[in-house]
Amino acid sequence: MTDFHDRASGLDSPPIGLFNIVPDESADLPQPIRGLMVTTGGDVALVTLSGAAGVLPSLAPGVQYAIRARAVRATGTTATGLVGLV
């Protein structure tokens, strides 16, 4: 078995951490995410690393969505149980 403990993680690597996200109208996330999951499906309003704002519609629970984002907004977000992957 390969030991990946001492290898650098790149954007093509699986996530190495996660945290719960509480949507907020003005605050950025504690760190940018590279993926997103929800426990209850719905829409997620976010701001990408490039600064583009938009809504990811009809996300399904349990699916890892690849998105690099710096903020998740409350207005427009109907999904719950948001988890940021880093």
Side-chain angles (χ1 to χ4, degrees), residues 39-78:
T39 58
T40 302
D43 301 343
V44 176
L46 51 76
V47 180
T48 66
L49 285 182
S50 70
V55 175
L56 299 177
S58 304
L59 299 188
V63 176
Q64 286 188 25
Y65 291 96
I67 183 77
R68 296 183 68 200
R70 63 180 173 92
V72 175
R73 300 298 182 224
T75 300
T77 296
T78 60

Side-chain angles (χ1 to χ4, degrees), residues 15-59:
I16 59 171
L18 57 91
F19 61 92
N20 292 325
I21 296 174
V22 176
D24 189 285
E25 283 309 304
S26 58
D28 282 354
L29 297 168
Q31 69 182 98
I33 59 170
R34 58 190 266 173
L36 177 71
M37 293 181 76
V38 300
T39 58
T40 302
D43 301 343
V44 176
L46 51 76
V47 180
T48 66
L49 285 182
S50 70
V55 175
L56 299 177
S58 304
L59 299 188

